[in-house]
Amino acid sequence: MTHAMHINRRLLLGGFGAGIGLAYAGRVGAQTAAGRHKLVVIIARGAMDGLSVTVPYADANYKALRGGLAIPGPGQANGALALGEGFGLHPALTTLHELYGAGQMRFAPAVAIPVRVRSHFDAQDVLENGGEGLRAQSDGWLNRALVAAGGEGGLKGLSIGAQTPLILRGPAETSSWAPGGQVKGEDRIASLLQDLYVDDPMLGHSLARGLETEALAMTMGDGTAPLRRNDVAGLGQAVARLMTGQQGADVVALSVDGWDTHARQNAQLQTRLDGLDALIGGLKTGLGGEWDNTMLVVATEFGRTARANGTQGTDHGTASSLLMAGGAMKAGGPIGDWPTLADNRLFEDRDLAPTLDVRSVFKGVLRDHLGVDRAALDQRVFPGSAAEAPTLDGLA
């Protein structure tokens, strides 16, 4: 069964529900909109194949390992979009390639979580809890980063989807939005809830803010046209609207499902990456001038096997790519070393070997973009990770 990347129950973890996103109560005083840094973390759930996303076309072993799954080099039919240093982007990622040309996109070609597991559930837990291993933390590193960043007024967190993902769960209060159609004032359930909570100082405020969030997000830029369910760029613009203005979110977590490409990978990836690229393009368009203060990170729980399997797909692997983009990005090349795909360099004779702990990249973004200091990163945000230095050479 294929899992097309449409805006339906397969796009976001848990799917789209009717979706009243209850904003948290007791929000502290608003920050000024000018200069506020924004961070969007997108989790590609299902194990995104990094060898097809950031294509190592110049590696001497790439074509032999991949067979019919190999993406041709730049300049060839359906070839990769050149990134330099022997890498290219999958041809579906045209928006990201434009950002690369503008110095607003970079990538890490061989990152991994700190433990070697091939279970989606376990690996996603490690990716999101930010600790040294499975269930090492009961909350998420992005929530802990909200606490560590502190500052007057604090940072506002927002999760997109039917459930708040582990990465954003924790002591810091956050808002949520589950896309699924505008909640109208005359709808019976919404009306009953409004009547029930009208005198409740906390829940009444939360419901009102939730309905306001839903109404804002589910309209297009002119405030009149509804968001179509298959409009991925429109979803990006809707999320962007929840990030702008004095009450806009500063940190957003978003999950995109369906990357477990065991069979017919080329067609599936084309659809997924078309959608991811449109989503990022919608975010950029919707943020307008605030894009200049924004960083976006796309990460996955693990990569896929270096060799194609017998059904023109790939199986669960180890290292994968991490993508970064944004107006706050500093131009540069690949982040971290490339291990090559030589037989004696493959992890367990099957996977791209990791050369960089994914937490090092997250640390660099949190330090340079949100101002979280190194001690907090090592001890609170990513406990036990002092040996993993923040990777990057600064942001714009």
Side-chain angles (χ1 to χ4, degrees):
M1 180 176 69
T2 59
H3 304 279
M5 186 173 175
H6 300 306
I7 300 184
N8 57 28
R9 68 178 183 273
R10 297 301 298 156
L11 175 60
L12 300 176
L13 181 66
F16 290 141
I20 299 176
L22 294 181
Y24 59 78
R27 199 174 253 175
V28 293
Q31 301 173 359
T32 59
R36 281 170 49 188
H37 285 186
K38 307 285 185 178
L39 173 63
V40 180
V41 178
I42 298 176
I43 300 178
R45 297 187 185 275
M48 182 176 71
D49 180 34
L51 294 176
S52 293
V53 175
T54 55
V55 182
Y57 64 88
D59 189 295
N61 297 281
Y62 174 68
K63 290 182 180 179
L65 283 169
R66 287 265 135 163
L69 299 185
I71 306 297
Q76 301 181 50
N78 300 313
L81 307 172
L83 294 175
E85 300 190 38
F87 288 94
L89 273 179
H90 189 283
L93 298 174
T94 55
T95 298
L96 278 172
H97 192 245
E98 290 174 4
L99 292 173
Y100 175 79
Q104 296 183 5
M105 180 265 172
R106 294 183 69 183
F107 66 99
V111 302
I113 57 175
V115 295
R116 304 292 164 254
V117 293
R118 293 194 176 94
S119 158
H120 294 299
F121 181 83
D122 290 349
Q124 288 173 21
D125 180 274
V126 177
L127 176 69
E128 296 180 70
N129 79 48
E132 289 287 290
L134 180 63
R135 288 180 282 278
Q137 305 293 320
S138 60
D139 53 6
W141 64 262
L142 194 55
N143 189 284
R144 297 195 296 272
L146 290 174
V147 176
E152 184 178 354
L155 297 178
K156 301 176 181 67
L158 172 68
S159 68
I160 307 299
Q163 297 178 338
T164 300
L166 173 60
I167 192 173
L168 203 51
R169 295 179 202 162
E173 293 179 299
T174 61
S175 300
S176 64
W177 176 50
Q182 184 175 355
V183 178
K184 300 177 181 179
E186 63 271 19
D187 284 354
R188 177 171 174 77
I189 293 177
S191 296
L192 288 173
L193 288 173
Q194 287 174 310
D195 290 342
L196 180 62
Y197 296 141
V198 65
D199 295 323
D200 190 300
M202 182 178 74
L203 294 178
H205 171 76
S206 293
L207 178 61
R209 286 287 297 127
L211 294 174
E212 178 184 328
T213 297
E214 185 79 10
L216 172 65
M218 291 305 293
T219 57
M220 299 303 288
D222 60 4
T224 60
L227 174 62
R228 299 187 305 276
R229 293 185 71 84
N230 291 327
D231 183 1
V232 185
L235 173 65
Q237 293 178 41
V239 173
R241 281 194 296 280
L242 299 178
M243 298 173 62
T244 56
Q246 290 188 342
Q247 289 298 320
D250 304 293
V251 175
V252 175
L254 171 65
S255 298
V256 180
D257 203 350
W259 300 87
D260 199 14
T261 52
H262 287 283
R264 301 184 300 280
Q265 176 171 296
N266 282 348
Q268 290 197 66
L269 273 185
Q270 181 70 40
T271 302
R272 305 266 179 306
L273 293 173
D274 278 339
L276 178 63
D277 200 63
L279 176 67
I280 293 171
L283 280 165
K284 181 179 184 297
T285 299
L287 285 168
E290 297 215 37
W291 176 255
D292 292 341
N293 300 320
T294 298
M295 280 291 300
L296 182 149
V297 180
V298 181
T300 193
E301 66 263 34
F302 48 68
R304 308 197 70 83
T305 49
R307 297 180 182 89
N309 62 26
T311 57
Q312 285 302 294
T314 51
D315 299 319
H316 297 178
T318 304
S320 188
S321 300
L322 179 145
L323 304 174
M324 303 175 63
M329 184 83 250
K330 182 178 180 179
I335 301 166
D337 295 329
W338 175 243
T340 81
L341 294 171
D343 288 344
N344 63 351
R345 298 301 303 275
L346 294 178
F347 178 73
E348 296 185 348
D349 192 37
R350 53 173 278 164
D351 301 339
L352 176 67
T355 61
L356 186 62
D357 190 312
V358 70
R359 295 173 299 174
S360 293
V361 184
F362 295 150
K363 281 183 172 185
V365 174
L366 295 176
R367 179 196 64 187
D368 295 347
H369 190 58
L370 295 187
V372 182
D373 66 57
R374 177 68 188 274
L377 290 170
D378 291 347
Q379 299 166 19
R380 295 166 56 193
V381 181
F382 300 100
S385 69
E388 307 299 336
T391 301
L392 288 180
D393 49 6
L395 301 174

